[in-house]
Amino acid sequence: MLNLEHLNQGLIISCQAPVDSPLHNPDIIAAMAKASVNNGAIGVRIDTPSHIQAVRKQITQPIIGLWKQIIPGSEVYITPQIHHAVAVSQAGADIIAIDATTRKRPGDEKLLDIITHIHQKLNKPVMADVDTLEAAELAIAAGADIVGTTLFGYTRETKSFTPPAWELLTQIVEKLNTFVICEGGISSSHAAKKALDLGANAVVVGTAITGIDLQVKAYQSAINC
């Protein structure tokens, strides 16, 4: 199992693209990941098994892998079930990220079930993507190795808030003894540094670096208003 100290105080780049984007291509995602680690990123965060597999061929640095899946009857979409975690692991991920919010999960699997399977059958650490301190506490109790602020601002309970999750990050650092990654809304190098200064062990940056589609839309909207 990966030693998390390899990620400590590091920059992790989320290399993803919308499914309707021409950038949503394994080779392009792999090129983004390679460029990221070439310039100092300690690791990358990658969605979908085919993309993870392509990235694994290009880099040796840690991959946080996930698989976004929309399943009717549940709002949980980041590696929602055990078989998704298995596919992510087989594709070459070193860490498996899962939705660890308190929302209803698809099927009969519980949070504890998927974390236990990842540990015992896949021998991989788990990154629990959370939105609240309560979710973080429950994830740690279930055995999660890493807590990420990834889903703050993206759930019904937190939709009135805008990332970065500075307050949530501070609460986790102060109240919980865990490896914490700040992810979500980190839009500048200053914000990335602030996350580490507040006590995050590592920071994930995505859209601000690799999100060409969203960045162009934002610029276009600004100059046309």
Side-chain angles (χ1 to χ4, degrees), residues 21-205:
S21 169
L23 300 176
H24 191 79
N25 176 289
D27 292 336
I28 293 174
I29 297 297
M32 288 183 186
K34 182 66 172 176
S36 297
V37 300
N38 281 354
N39 288 282
I42 198 69
V44 294
R45 181 171 161 118
I46 309 294
D47 173 32
T48 80
S50 61
H51 293 186
I52 294 166
Q53 191 173 36
V55 171
R56 181 80 290 162
K57 293 176 181 178
Q58 294 293 324
I59 70 170
T60 59
Q61 288 79 1
I63 297 173
I64 299 174
L66 60 139
W67 195 2
K68 293 178 181 177
Q69 293 284 283
I70 304 300
I71 299 177
S74 176
E75 296 178 338
V76 170
Y77 64 94
I78 296 177
T79 323
Q81 296 175 300
I82 288 174
H83 69 93
H84 300 122
V86 171
V88 167
S89 176
Q90 291 176 341
D94 301 286
I95 299 167
I96 300 176
I98 65 170
D99 182 313
T101 62
T102 59
R103 297 179 291 186
K104 179 182 181 299
R105 306 189 69 82
D108 298 326
E109 296 172 4
K110 306 300 182 185
L111 180 64
L112 178 62
D113 297 331
I114 188 169
I115 292 177
T116 299
H117 188 94
I118 292 169
H119 283 164
Q120 295 184 356
K121 302 298 184 180
L122 307 178
N123 194 33
K124 302 285 175 72
V126 174
M127 177 175 175
D129 292 340
V130 305
D131 58 339
T132 65
L133 180 63
E134 177 191 7
E137 291 172 332
L138 291 172
I140 293 170
D145 307 278
I146 302 168
V147 169
T149 60
T150 317
L151 291 171
F152 176 86
Y154 297 96
T155 62
R156 292 183 184 182
E157 190 169 351
T158 64
K159 65 181 181 181
S160 61
F161 301 103
T162 301
W166 300 133
E167 183 176 355
L168 175 59
L169 172 62
T170 300
Q171 290 175 337
I172 294 173
V173 169
E174 290 180 350
K175 299 182 179 181
L176 305 177
N177 181 24
T178 189
F179 193 99
V180 58
I181 293 178
C182 185
E183 178 175 5
I186 305 298
S187 58
S188 68
S189 56
H190 173 77
K193 181 64 165 58
K194 179 177 179 178
L196 296 178
D197 289 343
L198 287 175
N201 296 96
V203 59
V204 171
V205 180

Side-chain angles (χ1 to χ4, degrees), residues 1-20:
M1 191 176 292
L2 178 72
N3 184 346
L4 298 182
E5 287 304 309
H6 291 307
L7 300 177
N8 205 35
Q9 297 301 295
L11 173 66
I12 299 164
I13 303 301
S14 180
C15 303
Q16 301 182 39
V19 293
D20 59 350

